[in-house]
Amino acid sequence: MRASKKVIIVGGVAGGASVAARARRLSEDAHIIVIERGSFVSYANCGLPFHISGEIPERESLLVQTPQGLRNRFNLDVRTESEALRIDRDDKTLTIKNLVTGETYDETYDDLVLAPGAQPLSFPIPGIGRAGHFALRAIPDMDAIIAWNGDVTPRNATVVGAGYVGLEVAEQLTHMGMSVTVIEARSQALAVIDEDMAFWAQRHLEDHGVDVRLDTLVTSFEDPAEGEEAAASVVVCNDGSRIPADLVVLSMGVKPEVTLATDAGLAIGDFGGIRVNQHMRTTDEHIWAVGDAIEVRNPITREWSLIALAGPANRQGRVAADNVMGRPATYRGTYGTSIVRVFDLTIASTGLNEDALKRGGIAYEAVHVHPLSHVGYYPGAEILDMKLLFSVGDGTIYGAQVVGKETVARRLDVLATAIQGGMTVDDVAQLELCYAPAYGAPKDPVNLLAMAARNVVNGDVDIAQWYEIDDLDDNTVVLDVRSADERDASSIPGSIHIPLDELRDRVDELDKSRPIIVHCFSGQRSYFAQRMLALNGFTVRNLAGGIRSWQAAHPDRERHEPDAHHVSALAK
Ligand code: FAD
């Protein structure tokens, strides 16, 4: 009789714990060993930012499972404070160091699963790593930040990097009463979404008092100069600014942890992650890999990339465990569906953004809509900023981004499901979604977004994008069809104004020989105008997303918040 299977898993958090628990559900007699360098297994690293300020009050609630809990429930051989040092592929042996005793020993395996995660990216910035500098990757990092904060909350904090974790941390530190600066080398926060959508997050941070500095590089961390405010560090930037910081959180991204894989001669991809096939198998038939350490294929472009997210790590863990235990399973790839909260604003995206589409040489069009989260007559409606990227040829949806204060996750998840199900803009325009006044609208925002795209695919509407407005030739007319009070609040320079309800009567004021770009607040009323003018023989395009999208890309321009009037206009 064959001895029971022996599986070793390196890494005991998101991906690793998933592999272990699933493997046990498929085999009662397998010997499943989890090797984890840290003291904790299966904890909620996604929750770490929220305990720093006490939004998640109990530290213990982050510990989803303890080593003993995993032993009891799943009969796992969990070895914490143990580091996997080396793989001998010929002998199918892993060398492990007990970090408490210093002892090193070998353990054989039938199958080995690597789930070692990623490491915070660091750069050789002079002064980096001074007292008061922290990354946030694991429980001890969170504990160290809390301990540094101590009883006297630091006055100033600088977060380097405006990705998801950086912005979550910036919010939490602001809640604690710190004056927070976020420094980002790129020209926008949240690189996974497009610039015209990232704007909403940036402005929201600023509205909450966070000093957001884009296009800015940290050149050094120094002691305060004579006469400067006392601080643990002075953050020196390439624009010459010097920012005092009692606390610095370095959140500059992550890189896959591939030391074991590289040393063992496993294939590493162009982006530095472990290469696996669709079964999560590495280039060694007995070694598998999951989570932040691997490269994943985008199902739309088939291109490789690194996507560090908990959902994919968990699903990959399940696929790997199935295959290890002899049940064939396939991972379909990663779309990068993600969400983050910045104060009370939610930003979510799925699929390809404009940069990825351009890199992939994929022809696409973008529409923006700004509907209300539910009908305007029911209290509490909030504007949603929604963007869809799609093929004008056949209506294939490539990506979606949604920003707002209400129902963002629900809308984005419908769009993510639609993309993964291969639905076109026509399919999504026709989706039957739930509706009652407190929840949505008879034409759900998701339907509206897809309808705007379908109008483009069908050739019913030609659209113009916000970035075209700045480079218009003198011949093109920008026509604003909003109401007079909306117009008074702000306008696109050089535009002319005829309110929608007067347009039929005043159409003679327009010159048929000149192309027109028509706009309103969100693109919806201007769509009606665009149809009317096109049917009257004008060459006319609708500004996608209206003045709201244009203003999002022109933060220096005056802008206005929608008041009750605009909200009721949107609700029509
Ligand atoms: P991890 O969960 O990091 O686990 C890897 C483990 O392997 C580590 O514990 C490490 O100690 C161990 N290890 C490494 N090398 C060795 C070795 N040689 N020997 C033994 N052990 C080793 N994702 C989301 O989708 N949504 C979120 O809201 C979100 N928020 C996040 C917030 C923070 C602060 C952080 C840090 C991450 C967040 N993520 C989020 C990302 C998500 O946590 C990761 O994508 C996920 O944990 C990856 O799982 P993993 O198993 O690959 O790696």
Side-chain angles (χ1 to χ4, degrees):
M1 202 177 94
R2 192 191 181 283
S4 64
K5 188 166 214 171
K6 186 170 172 189
V7 181
I8 304 184
I9 300 159
V10 177
V13 189
S18 221
V19 175
R22 174 70 177 165
R24 174 57 74 225
R25 291 198 295 275
L26 296 178
S27 166
E28 261 300 308
D29 61 359
H31 182 189
I32 302 169
I33 304 172
V34 178
I35 304 296
E36 169 54 52
R37 185 162 46 198
S39 315
F40 305 95
V41 284
S42 192
Y43 63 88
N45 34 16
C46 306
L48 299 178
F50 305 98
H51 181 57
I52 292 174
S53 71
E55 182 176 338
I56 294 178
E58 300 299 333
R59 180 176 180 275
E60 281 60 40
S61 60
L62 297 173
L63 308 176
V64 182
Q65 264 291 5
T66 60
Q68 193 55 46
L70 286 180
R71 283 179 204 119
N72 295 346
R73 182 163 299 173
F74 298 110
N75 185 25
L76 301 175
D77 180 350
V78 181
R79 305 182 191 174
T80 51
E81 295 173 277
S82 296
E83 182 168 14
L85 294 181
R86 221 168 15 258
I87 304 166
D88 184 331
R89 288 168 55 189
D90 294 331
D91 287 347
K92 291 173 70 180
T93 301
L94 183 70
T95 303
I96 300 158
K97 182 174 185 184
N98 180 323
L99 297 174
V100 179
T101 63
E103 175 208 359
T104 297
Y105 60 98
D106 288 344
E107 195 73 68
T108 57
Y109 59 81
D110 293 316
D111 284 279
L112 174 66
V113 185
L114 302 177
Q119 299 171 349
L121 269 179
S122 188
F123 297 96
I125 303 169
I128 198 166
R130 295 165 60 101
H133 289 197
F134 302 93
L136 181 59
R137 181 75 204 165
I139 296 240
D141 303 322
M142 177 192 74
D143 290 341
I145 293 174
I146 292 170
W148 176 258
N149 292 349
D151 295 332
V152 183
T153 302
R155 293 155 304 163
N156 307 306
T158 292
V159 176
V160 186
Y164 285 142
V165 174
L167 297 195
E168 284 179 346
V169 169
E171 177 190 338
Q172 297 305 317
L173 300 181
T174 305
H175 290 319
M176 295 173 73
M178 294 184 216
S179 163
V180 179
T181 304
V182 174
I183 298 178
E184 169 58 52
R186 293 190 180 91
S187 58
Q188 66 166 85
L190 300 173
V192 295
I193 60 171
D194 294 323
E195 176 193 3
D196 49 12
M197 299 298 280
F199 162 79
W200 302 111
Q202 289 149 204
R203 196 182 80 180
H204 202 66
L205 284 158
E206 286 163 358
D207 289 347
H208 284 80
V210 177
D211 180 358
V212 182
R213 303 195 185 186
L214 304 173
D215 283 318
T216 304
L217 287 168
V218 176
T219 52
S220 64
F221 298 96
E222 298 177 2
D223 284 329
E226 215 175 299
E228 266 184 333
E229 185 182 337
S233 301
V234 172
V235 183
V236 183
C237 301
N238 61 339
D239 59 4
S241 57
R242 298 173 61 85
I243 306 161
D246 295 325
L247 170 68
V248 173
V249 179
L250 301 161
S251 188
M252 300 177 284
V254 293
K255 64 171 183 195
E257 170 59 75
V258 293
T259 317
L260 276 176
T262 309
D263 292 350
L266 301 175
I268 303 294
D270 296 341
F271 297 93
I274 304 170
R275 273 285 163 91
V276 292
N277 65 13
Q278 69 270 39
H279 308 299
M280 315 315 300
R281 190 178 244 139
T282 67
T283 40
D284 181 307
E285 93 176 279
H286 297 288
I287 305 180
W288 314 74
V290 302
D292 290 358
I294 67 165
E295 291 188 3
V296 287
R297 272 193 195 276
N298 180 288
I300 302 170
T301 60
R302 306 300 302 151
E303 295 292 327
W304 293 100
S305 67
L306 296 169
I307 296 184
L309 287 171
N314 276 273
R315 289 195 306 282
Q316 291 155 10
R318 187 181 168 99
V319 169
D322 279 1
N323 286 309
V324 166
M325 290 304 173
R327 180 186 284 213
T330 300
Y331 184 69
R332 296 180 180 178
T334 304
Y335 290 84
T337 306
S338 58
I339 190 162
V340 65
R341 191 199 69 196
V342 178
F343 297 94
D344 57 347
L345 193 73
T346 305
I347 301 108
S349 69
T350 186
L352 302 172
N353 61 19
E354 292 204 46
D355 273 350
L357 286 160
K358 283 176 191 149
R359 270 200 315 275
I362 300 171
Y364 68 93
E365 189 54 274
V367 288
H368 297 252
V369 298
H370 309 287
L372 294 173
S373 53
H374 59 252
V375 286
Y377 63 80
Y378 187 87
E382 295 281 354
I383 288 208
L384 291 167
D385 295 296
M386 306 177 80
K387 178 171 185 176
L388 197 73
L389 297 155
F390 59 97
S391 155
V392 182
D394 61 6
T396 299
I397 305 175
Y398 296 132
Q401 299 166 28
V402 183
V403 180
K405 292 184 176 172
E406 290 287 330
T407 70
V408 169
R410 170 181 149 205
R411 267 61 198 239
L412 193 281
D413 275 343
V414 172
L415 293 162
T417 307
I419 293 177
Q420 292 171 47
M423 297 174 78
T424 63
V425 295
D426 190 42
D427 296 325
V428 178
Q430 298 202 41
L431 266 184
E432 181 182 321
L433 301 169
C434 61
Y435 161 64
Y439 300 104
K443 259 185 222 159
D444 190 87
V446 167
N447 296 134
L448 271 182
L449 180 66
M451 284 173 190
R454 188 178 60 180
N455 288 339
V456 177
V457 173
N458 289 348
D460 285 344
V461 63
D462 278 339
I463 52 173
Q465 298 292 346
W466 55 263
Y467 47 81
E468 296 180 54
I469 296 288
D470 296 336
D471 298 321
L472 282 184
D473 55 55
D474 292 342
N475 197 33
T476 303
V477 174
V478 177
L479 170 63
D480 179 355
V481 294
R482 295 172 303 156
S483 62
D485 60 339
E486 287 175 276
R487 171 91 181 166
D488 286 347
S490 66
S491 61
I492 295 177
S495 59
I496 63 166
H497 178 230
I498 304 178
L500 177 63
D501 294 343
E502 298 172 23
L503 190 56
R504 264 194 197 84
D505 294 337
R506 295 175 56 187
V507 75
D508 291 344
E509 292 175 30
L510 297 169
D511 179 351
K512 269 200 182 129
S513 70
R514 296 177 67 182
I516 296 172
I517 293 178
V518 62
H519 84 83
C520 63
F521 172 70
S522 70
Q524 201 175 347
R525 283 170 290 164
S526 53
Y527 165 57
F528 305 149
Q530 191 267 343
R531 291 298 301 152
M532 182 200 304
L533 293 172
L535 292 170
N536 276 293
F538 287 87
T539 305
V540 56
R541 292 191 293 157
N542 186 14
L543 180 62
I547 195 169
R548 185 166 169 91
S549 288
W550 178 82
Q551 283 170 327
H554 296 80
D556 48 329
R557 302 288 167 86
E558 57 178 322
R559 45 172 198 252
H560 66 277
E561 285 307 313
D563 56 20
H565 176 88
H566 310 130
V567 167
S568 70
L570 280 171
K572 279 178 192 157

